[in-house]
Amino acid sequence: MKILVCIKQVPDTTDIKWTEHNTIQREGVESIINPFDVYALEFALNIKKQCNNVHIIAITMGPPQADEMLRKAIAIGCDDGILLSDKKFAGADTYATSKTISQAIKKFSPDFDLIICGQFAVDGDTAQTGPSIASKLDIPQVTYVKSIENCDEESITVKKESDYGIEILKIKFPALVCVLQQDNEPTRPLINGIIKAQKASIKTLNMSDIELNSDDVGIKGSPTYVSKAFRAPNKRSEKFICTNCNELFEKICQCGVLNNE
Amino acid sequence: MNKNIILIYAEITPDFYIHTVVFELIQKAIELSKSLENPSIELIMLTPQGLINGYKEGFENNGVDKVYVLENEKFRHYSTEYYSKTIIPIIEEIQPEIFLLGATNQGRDLAPRISSSLHTGLTADCIELQINEKGLLAATRPTFGGQLMATIICKNKPQMATVRPKVFKPLENIIKKETQYIYKEVNLSSINPQIELIDIIKKAQTTINDLDSSDIIVAGGKGMKSKEGFELLKDFANAIGGTVAASRGAVDIGIAPQEIQIGQTGKTVSPKLYIACGISGAIQHIVGMNNSDKIIAINSDSNAPIFENCDYGIVGDAFDIIPKLTNLLKQKKYKF
């Protein structure tokens, strides 16, 4: 079984900088693997524990230093890494990003069984790239996946959390799932894994490798753009700090929501 | 002259109610339509056979011009495959300027599937929608855990956006319209479903749905230290008529379950009263509760950022303050 895990590097900082195009300045900012993509990796490793012959490839789009993140994924148990890196990819919205990633998958890994994405990225928090990739590859998707119920060579059965309850769904391959927080302890890299990661050759692909042109990718390939970015205003202008419980209790009563009033 | 159509996805709950977010979106669409020439507020709904008559009054009293009705028994449960493949050709046919969906689990599953197929952009979880001077949709959303707001413009049509429930208010007054109903033929025979629904386990009472509808939320953070700390919050919540929630900090140390987590990686709530107990107030938490009418902070650290984001606060030990408040509430109850 061939699994692709899409991972994204996100800034590990509260100090966000923007470029002159009002897109996010990523250079010179410390990066981590998006926490939900770590869950996606865990989900893939859980499948590997349950099934035979599982091959996991981590794939990302980002600057050359994203190579390091792919090596971390290999250190915990992924088999290979693919890095999509080109200056022209910069400033992509979720549409252009999913087009780039899905095109790379079509060119270099069309025989996949399952694609796993994190449900959200903690920077943009759009939850769009996964379903958009599924749409471009014309494969089914299941979002908000919590855990694996069962898995074999042709399908996976998962538990999905919806607004209204839990659904158990059986998905035939090929398919894409977006996963939520996983309950198991995060996998720690073993010494063998670290050695493997150091030696691994990461496949690095640019725009021409995946046969796209500059109108398809990055800012030019994005249907949306940021017209304005501004700091979130603080809505609570008249803060009042109480000195004792009775005073606080009076304030609560004045809110006018207590049932026994 | 062509109409400027604002289309809204009319999500139906498993009990076959129209989701409240739909009426909130209709209200916003009516507001936006005032800046558009020749506007039309239209809905698209997928439903099992025979239910549409029950919904008509709601549409006709809320200023809806037209409803596209797609009926099929397969629409009894949401399915990405059936729903997206039904909706996409209809949108191509009616060519709306704007297409809005609720940022529910269903909306966030469906919307990117549709926008990607239509080669257009999608702005998720908007907190404000406006028509700009060029007549385009300016969609504002929080990014980076709510630290920054970004206003996003879409170059292609339809301009798509999702909005979480309770961000906008539903219509207060009735706007009567003679709503037109367009019944579209549904043909699902070409779809070979790859996903099979094996089972549905409906949510128990004390979880997220309650947080959605609760007027009062009592939330605990890492400062509540233990499950016993959360018991104090439960007593307090019972006395005040509220629901217990938690911050990520409390979930991470295992003293509260993930399904009651508020914040960026949890739920967004907007109760009338939000009482944060032992929560430091990281920005990731604030974005999940900042739409509350009133926020009260109880924390022993006077420098905790929660005090920057509250209406009323008290510096002190929650283990001391919460039981006192619970007692005051009980006494008050007996006074009346």
Side-chain angles (χ1 to χ4, degrees), chain A residues 12-23:
Chain A
D12 183 18
T13 173
T14 47
D15 179 26
I16 304 305
K17 295 184 183 75
W18 296 72
T19 68
E20 57 190 307
H21 304 293
N22 272 340
T23 58

Side-chain angles (χ1 to χ4, degrees), chain A residues 95 143 166 223 228 230 242, chain B residues 109 113 119 149 151 155 201 313:
Chain A
Y95 179 88
T143 52
I166 288 173
K228 196 171 68 171
F230 54 99
C242 305
Chain B
D109 184 87
R113 189 92 201 181
H119 308 289
M149 295 292 163
T151 301
K155 293 182 274 191
I201 305 153

